[in-house]
Amino acid sequence: MTGPTVGVEEEFLLLDPFTGHNLPVAEQATAALPDDVRAHSRREFRRSMVEIVTPVCTDLGQLREHLLGLRQEAAKAAATAGAQLVAIGATPVAEPDLAVADDPRFRQIADHYGPIVADPAVCGCHVHVGVPDRDTAIEVGNHLRIWLPVLQAMGVNSPLHAGADTGHASWRAMQLDRWPSLGPTPYFADAADFDRTVATLVGAGAMLDETMVLWHARPSARYPTVEVRVADACPTVADTVLLAGLVRGLVGTALDEIAAGRPAPAVPDHLVRAAHWNAAHTGLDGTLTDLSSGRARPAQELVDDLLTTATPALRRHGDLEPVRAGLARLRERGTGAARQRRVHARTGDVTAVLADLAHQTLDG
């Protein structure tokens, strides 16, 4: 049994193992990668970040093998540059070197957006799922809107900033709110509506150009996919595989709805934005906004609803049992943010949190 293709882009921080500071050694680490792995790496905006991209996969077992192998090689390469590879959503302690990577495109972004570019580095996990065409990608994005805050709550992994707990489960999300072209995905009538909106935002200067479409779900500019980019960098390979399986299940569910002629739920943008803020603030340790009813409900109830909704597609893809096992593990261990807070409560030491995260980064 197979479903739509799936691939993942993972961003990681390069941290000093003694201080927890970001280290601007991405070029050295990338140069140390084996040639076949370097082909799956991407230059990132900040010099303390690396990005690794999996091949296109057809099942979650294959995806897991690629993720683990790529993380292992990236960690070895980081060590040659004196850094730890850490899967975390936002800079936890400090980033002394705030220069962007030496790239004309990155300098153009820095000139356009000004001081917000100097915010400490943040890292996400982006899941790509294959779709037939761009119009379908737009429709799928509409159907995903009510579920993306739940995925975001499951993927929180950045409670720390400047060496302290922010009180937010995803500080990454709070930082990204300062960028005008990021955030919740708007509802679009079709691809032409999407293009008109992007052109208007470019004209207003909110987007530097059409490549700055960085909403939580979007038609990929590079691949024939829907790209979901709502989660922080996931602490373990198992967390990433769970996220990918759920995204693929929700995309499959959306394709079923589209084929049946059922429109996506119409939810006001301000409620969608509030639901995302709530998800980033509390993760799974509280209530989330049920966008189908507008009510606050226990987070785990909405996770259960998501699983129920996606179950037919998950079963069709052969992903139901792996996803159920992943959700049981998440319920037992908690989100990445919850795990960080437990280590910090036990040790009172941020570097102990980061050492634990470095270990989790290589956990299959």
Side-chain angles (χ1 to χ4, degrees):
M1 291 177 288
T2 61
T5 58
V6 61
V8 172
E9 300 168 341
E10 293 195 294
E11 297 168 342
F12 303 96
L13 284 183
L14 299 166
L15 300 183
D16 186 309
F18 303 104
T19 67
H21 289 182
N22 293 21
L23 291 179
V25 294
E27 287 190 14
Q28 297 96 304
T30 301
L33 290 170
D35 290 345
D36 59 333
V37 176
R38 193 181 310 115
H40 290 281
S41 69
R42 301 283 185 271
R43 172 178 282 186
E44 263 300 335
F45 190 69
R46 298 301 271 273
R47 300 194 300 156
S48 59
M49 294 173 62
V50 295
E51 181 179 38
I52 301 293
V53 181
T54 71
V56 177
C57 300
T58 56
D59 66 73
L60 296 185
Q62 181 187 39
L63 179 67
R64 179 189 176 280
E65 290 179 8
H66 285 302
L67 288 166
L68 186 56
L70 290 169
R71 284 188 178 209
Q72 289 172 340
E73 293 297 341
K76 291 176 188 175
T80 68
Q84 282 185 321
L85 185 82
V86 179
I88 188 172
T91 296
V93 180
E95 187 173 16
D97 186 326
L98 293 170
V100 301
D102 186 17
D103 182 278
R105 171 65 177 164
F106 294 157
R107 289 195 294 272
Q108 187 180 21
I109 292 171
D111 290 343
H112 186 78
Y113 289 101
I116 63 172
V117 170
D119 283 351
V122 294
C123 296
C125 178
H126 308 158
V127 179
H128 289 259
V129 177
V131 292
D133 52 57
R134 195 161 174 270
D135 280 306
T136 303
I138 299 295
E139 288 190 83
V140 167
N142 290 339
H143 282 269
L144 291 178
R145 290 175 87 229
I146 65 169
W147 294 115
L148 291 181
V150 185
L151 290 177
Q152 182 174 24
M154 297 168 67
V156 292
N157 188 37
S158 53
L160 302 177
H161 173 68
D165 193 323
T166 63
H168 298 276
S170 175
W171 188 245
R172 167 182 168 269
M174 301 302 162
Q175 284 188 215
L176 291 180
D177 269 349
R178 285 160 55 87
W179 290 78
S181 56
L182 282 81
T185 305
Y187 186 101
F188 296 106
D190 49 31
D193 184 26
F194 177 93
D195 291 339
R196 284 193 299 271
T197 301
V198 170
T200 298
L201 293 173
V202 171
M207 289 183 185
L208 175 60
D209 54 39
E210 64 277 0
T211 69
M212 295 298 292
V213 176
L214 301 174
W215 291 311
H216 292 330
R218 65 176 186 176
S220 172
R222 182 180 297 177
Y223 309 112
T225 65
V226 171
E227 180 185 3
V228 172
R229 28 188 312 120
V230 71
D232 290 351
C234 295
T236 70
V237 167
D239 293 314
T240 302
V241 171
L242 172 62
L243 176 68
L246 287 171
V247 171
R248 182 160 77 154
L250 288 172
V251 171
T253 301
L255 292 172
D256 292 343
E257 295 290 298
I258 293 165
R262 289 189 283 270
V267 183
D269 286 348
H270 66 278
L271 287 184
V272 176
R273 182 167 291 279
H276 278 290
W277 189 94
N278 185 23
H281 179 62
T282 65
L284 296 180
D285 297 325
T287 62
L288 296 175
T289 306
D290 181 350
L291 287 175
S292 65
S293 68
R295 295 185 296 109
R297 294 175 56 202
Q300 289 295 342
E301 287 186 7
L302 281 172
V303 172
D304 291 342
D305 285 356
L306 188 157
L307 177 62
T308 298
T309 297
T311 286
L314 289 168
R315 183 178 287 116
R316 187 169 67 242
H317 302 161
D319 295 343
L320 183 57
E321 292 313 313
V323 163
R324 280 177 172 165
L327 286 172
R329 182 176 181 272
L330 180 66
R331 192 184 296 266
E332 177 185 358
R333 297 190 63 189
T335 63
R339 293 172 222 169
Q340 290 187 50
R341 284 169 167 157
R342 283 200 302 271
V343 176
H344 193 251
R346 185 176 72 247
T347 66
D349 183 359
V350 170
T351 58
V353 176
L354 300 180
D356 181 71
L357 273 173
H359 176 76
Q360 288 190 64
T361 300
L362 299 180
D363 183 354

